[in-house]
Amino acid sequence: MSGLAQRMSRLGTETAFEVLARARALEAQGRKIVHLEIGEPDFDTPAFIRKAAAEALESGFTHYGPSAGLPEFRKTIADVWRAERGIPCDADNVVVVPGGKPIMFFTMLALLDEGDEAIYPNPGFPIYESVINFLGAKAVPIQLREEKGFDLDIKELESKITSRTKLLVINSPHNPTGAVLSPETVEAIASLSRRHGFHVLSDEIYGRIQYEGKHVSIAALPGMAEKTIVLDGFSKTYAMTGWRLGFGIMDKTLATHVARLMTNSNSCTATFVQKAGQVALTGPQGEVHAMVAEFRVRRDAIVKGLNELPGVTCAMPKGAFYAFPNITGTGMKSGELAKALLEEAGVACLSGTSFGAHGEGYIRFSYANSLENIHIALASMNEFLTVRAK
Ligand SMILES: Cc1ncc(COP(=O)(O)O)c(C=O)c1O
């Protein structure tokens, strides 16, 4: 089509949805596919949350609400994140949006001018790079290396900082590697931000899905609340991906600008969904803990199985629900292997390069699927790789 704005050529995408579409097409032809591509819990949203949404609908939460979110919900979020993560914040610091992604989009829109530089993890969630490029800012990748446990290398980070560096994106626990930034790394990033003045977009959407150690938010460190935008939401923790409910915690002035972007785009987040979110946060957390416990069992199973595959080694992820094995020993490129696993072994997964150029040599499995399916996938990958290795 002609007439598209120039900027559209700079907008990237998330290949998980394309792989899902191809897997569904194969299923329509009668093939059996195990879905390890999509990053969403296979559990249903807990019943008490669904019930709260139904009750909210019945009691009239069917109208517009304030752009920044319902006041009592913003307050609850601030109370919980202050208590749980030690982030100094109140309701005015919180903006409620439809999912976690809008916080990326809106805070980058609010902070980045053309030519500003934003540093982001590579491999990393593809939308960071996409939005930075879309806005005409300069996307500066920082490589996360397996030999460092996919932690961020502070010396390397320092070497990427210039007078135009406006924003650093961090993500812990991390998609796609499952790595968790060490407390020392978080401290060191904070001290660089204080020294150079850049903002930090801290994507903590997997913050409650961590198997080792306690989640450390950079926003809780001295002086960092004003400089940090915490991105969080309900999609992963409460198995609410389709509800579209997320939020950001940020400086109050920035919050008013992000709220204005909401007024200009969505008007507000669905009010009955916010009521359900309120109940999710204040209700029993047993199901969340049970989901995390189940993810841990699956993590152990998939990592063990992957390490037994010919040509594959896999580090133990500390959080989220992804395994990111090194596949260089198979002799295949990531894209080639991911495609062959789908087409020939019936296992849908993502090439590491879906997460940036430094994802070459890896593929990503989401283990948000049953143990039974994980074992089926491992067996068929074993067969495929064993035949290939001969
Ligand atoms: C690192 C990361 N951040 C943010 C998101 C977006 O979450 P949401 O579906 O709530 O927009 C995802 C979803 O996969 C993610 O992996």
Side-chain angles (χ1 to χ4, degrees), residues 210-345:
Q210 188 167 321
Y211 312 105
E212 288 164 40
K214 198 176 166 290
H215 179 76
V216 183
S217 177
I218 193 166
L221 301 185
M224 285 308 292
E226 298 81 57
K227 281 286 173 197
T228 306
I229 302 100
V230 175
L231 178 160
D232 212 324
F234 292 72
S235 298
K236 317 289 175 173
T237 315
Y238 294 98
M240 289 173 71
T241 48
W243 295 63
R244 310 314 300 143
L245 186 61
F247 57 89
I249 304 176
M250 64 199 83
D251 168 81
K252 288 181 185 174
T253 308
L254 181 58
T256 62
H257 290 281
V258 170
R260 197 183 306 177
L261 285 164
M262 273 295 286
T263 308
N264 278 267
S265 52
N266 300 274
S267 294
C268 66
T269 306
T271 46
F272 69 93
V273 169
Q274 295 186 60
K275 293 301 276 184
Q278 169 103 12
V279 170
L281 286 183
T282 51
Q285 302 299 303
E287 284 182 71
V288 173
H289 299 145
M291 280 192 259
V292 175
E294 179 60 26
F295 283 142
R296 178 197 289 270
V297 172
R298 296 171 183 184
R299 171 194 72 154
D300 293 349
I302 197 166
V303 170
K304 179 171 179 290
L306 287 169
N307 277 310
E308 288 164 1
L309 299 180
V312 178
T313 58
C314 186
M316 185 60 86
K318 295 188 176 131
F321 37 67
Y322 306 111
F324 199 60
N326 183 323
I327 53 90
T328 47
T330 64
M332 291 173 87
K333 291 284 207 192
S334 300
E336 194 192 351
L337 179 58
K339 190 165 184 296
L341 289 178
L342 173 59
E343 306 282 337
E344 292 171 49

Side-chain angles (χ1 to χ4, degrees), residues 7-64:
R7 71 176 82 86
M8 289 311 292
S9 65
R10 301 195 299 266
L11 195 62
T13 189
E14 225 189 311
T15 31
F17 292 100
E18 287 161 24
V19 174
L20 178 66
R22 176 66 191 143
R24 294 257 185 265
L26 288 171
E27 283 172 325
Q29 293 165 18
R31 293 276 311 278
K32 274 224 161 319
I33 306 290
V34 182
H35 291 274
L36 303 180
E37 77 280 41
I38 269 282
E40 72 170 340
D42 55 321
F43 303 104
D44 286 332
T45 305
F48 75 97
I49 302 175
R50 303 200 305 267
K51 185 158 165 271
E55 281 170 8
L57 279 170
E58 287 307 318
S59 58
F61 282 90
T62 53
H63 298 276
Y64 288 131

Side-chain angles (χ1 to χ4, degrees), residues 14 39-40 98-102 104 124-128 171 173-176 203-206 231-236 240-242 244-246 321-322 355 364:
E14 225 189 311
E40 72 170 340
K101 269 180 185 165
M104 285 169 212
F125 192 56
I127 303 304
Y128 309 138
N171 172 215
H174 182 249
N175 177 8
D203 184 340
E204 304 182 13
I205 201 138
Y206 299 102
L231 178 160
D232 212 324
F234 292 72
S235 298
K236 317 289 175 173
M240 289 173 71
T241 48
R244 310 314 300 143
L245 186 61
F321 37 67
Y322 306 111
F355 302 91
R364 190 197 78 172

